[in-house]
């Protein structure tokens, strides 16, 4: 079992869905990632919060074993993000992004975490993601997330980062935008040519596709009957996936496939409540049951027609 060093936003989210709304709920890429990954393996996060960040949101993470020694408390306002979902929960509108203390954030990895072997670079400025990599001695496996904002605005830095990343996790729109390829299989090949051996393309409620050197694997989205808020599902997906790989200490293709299912399972739990709340009550049995459900949903007997 290996510790994961994760960097990302620690935010306060204001979210509106057709089923309710929430103001200043704990959120951010590092928060959702850690809340999910901590169910598999120890996690340390590096990030920044403002002086207005509620202690209860941080103790929620530390109570679940997340190491917060790398989370700085700076004078000023916390990073805030606002989003609104319509009836199609696969698309959302960003209402605001207020960087607050995040604007001047320079990640500093505490000395004791520089030996981390497993690194997750959550969705932040690729310049900061590179800065984190510079401070880690010899990372064995580096996974990375990004978004349209950085693909548009920081393409050159992002391309430099890609060359140092083992695994890129993006959604379908981001994969197309990054590669300029409308076809997702070609987009994944383009990404692999520019660095990462492994690519996952997330497709929201429709699951995720894994591309490794010579394998393609698909996991569906879990058919939830009630979705409260999809915010953070992508980061929880990454938490489930990397959490499983770090726990197994392996990126063998069989583990990558299994990890994709753990990713989809953890992403589905994120949708069951506002903020990362669902991860507080989640137990190993819940995760195991959901993963079994994926197996039942996808396994089938291949019968060869007698005429062949
Ligand atoms: P997801 O739904 O997995 O894409 O993640 C949503 C989370 O990402 C929210 O909790 C936001 O606080 C956070 N977020 C949104 N925009 C940004 C950004 N530009 N940089 C860092 N984090 C962000």
């Amino acid at each position: 079992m290996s510790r994961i060093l994760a960097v990302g936003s620690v935010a306060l989210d204001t979210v509106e869905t057709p089923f309710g709304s929430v103001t200043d709920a704990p959120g951010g890429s590092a928060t959702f990632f850690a809340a999910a990954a901590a169910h598999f393996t120890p996690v340390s996060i590096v990030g920044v919060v403002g002086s207005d960040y509620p202690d209860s949101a941080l103790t929620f993470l530390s109570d679940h074993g997340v190491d917060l020694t790398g989370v700085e408390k700076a004078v000023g306002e916390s990073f805030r993000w606002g989003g609104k979902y319509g009836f199609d929960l696969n698309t959302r509108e960003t209402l605001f992004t207020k960087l607050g203390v995040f604007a001047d954030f320079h990640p500093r990895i505490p000395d004791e975490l520089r030996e981390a072997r497993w690194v997750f670079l959550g969705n932040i400025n690729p310049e900061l993601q590179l800065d984190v990599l510079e401070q880690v001695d010899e990372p064995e496996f580096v996974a990375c997330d990004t978004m349209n904002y950085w693909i548009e605005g920081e393409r050159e830095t992002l391309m430099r980062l890609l060359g140092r990343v083992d695994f890129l996790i993006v959604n379908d729109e981001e994969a197309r935008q990054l590669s300029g390829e409308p076809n997702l299989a070609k987009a994944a090949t383009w990404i692999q040519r520019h660095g990462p051996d492994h690519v996952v393309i997330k497709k929201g409620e429709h699951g995720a596709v894994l591309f490794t050197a010579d394998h393609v694997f698909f996991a569906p989205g879990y058919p939830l009957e009630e979705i409260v808020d999809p915010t953070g599902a992508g980061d929880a997906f990454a938490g489930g996936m990397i959490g499983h790989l770090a726990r197994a200490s392996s990126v063998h293709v069989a583990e990558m496939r299994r990890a994709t299912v753990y990713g989809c399972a953890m992403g589905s739990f994120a949708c069951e409540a506002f903020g990362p709340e669902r991860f507080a009550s989640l137990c190993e049995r819940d995760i195991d049951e959901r993963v079994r459900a994926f197996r039942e949903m996808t396994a089938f007997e291949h019968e060869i027609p007698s005429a062949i």
Side-chain angles (χ1 to χ4, degrees), residues 9 11 13 27-29 32 79 81 92 123 147 150 230-235:
S9 52
D13 290 345
S29 53
F32 282 106
F79 175 81
W81 176 82
R92 74 173 169 218
N123 168 33
M147 69 186 291
W150 309 119
T231 305
D235 301 305

Side-chain angles (χ1 to χ4, degrees), residues 8-13 26-29 32 79-81 85 92 94 97 99 102 123-125 145 147 149-150 202 230-236:
S9 52
V10 183
L12 294 173
D13 290 345
S29 53
F32 282 106
F79 175 81
R80 280 183 168 76
W81 176 82
Y85 295 81
R92 74 173 169 218
T94 290
T97 304
L99 291 179
F102 212 57
N123 168 33
I124 53 172
N125 189 328
D145 186 6
M147 69 186 291
Y149 186 75
W150 309 119
K202 297 171 290 178
T231 305
D235 301 305

